[in-house]
């Protein structure tokens, strides 16, 4: 399953991260560049070190959150197991 993330704001604006995920594989997003496949710079102070993970499940991309910091898609909060649209 193809997934491409694009940074829309801040110092990394315009950077793209493409992934070809297999079932069960996940991509972590956060400021811990040693652990996260999408490693954001320390300038993103509103993003946790391990902010969220996107996982391929049954042909869909689902999100997992660290439950301490809000995760917004657009301007709406999302929670564990939310299926992400294109």
């Amino acid at each position: 399953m193809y997934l491409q993330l694009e940074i829309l704001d801040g110092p990394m604006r315009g950077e793209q991260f493409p992934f070809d995920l297999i079932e069960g594989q996940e991509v972590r997003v956060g400021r811990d560049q040693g652990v996260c496949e999408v490693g954001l710079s320390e300038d993103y102070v509103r993003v946790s070190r391990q902010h969220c993970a996107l996982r391929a499940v049954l042909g869909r991309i689902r999100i997992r959150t660290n439950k301490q910091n809000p995760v917004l898609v657009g301007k709406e909060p999302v929670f564990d197991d939310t299926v992400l649209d294109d």
Side-chain angles (χ1 to χ4, degrees), residues 15-47:
E15 285 195 43
Q16 297 180 355
F17 298 85
F19 300 94
D20 194 11
L21 301 178
I22 58 172
E23 181 70 18
Q25 187 176 14
E26 74 178 18
V27 171
R28 291 181 186 202
V29 178
R31 291 183 295 119
D32 186 341
Q33 295 186 9
V35 175
C36 297
E37 291 79 12
V38 178
L40 302 176
S41 68
E42 293 294 323
D43 298 329
Y44 288 92
V45 295
R46 296 179 69 185
V47 176

Side-chain angles (χ1 to χ4, degrees), residues 51 63 65 69-79 82 84-85:
H51 200 71
I63 193 162
T65 66
N69 301 47
V71 176
L72 304 175
V73 174
K75 294 184 179 182
E76 299 297 319
V78 293
F79 304 96
T82 298
L84 300 182
D85 295 327

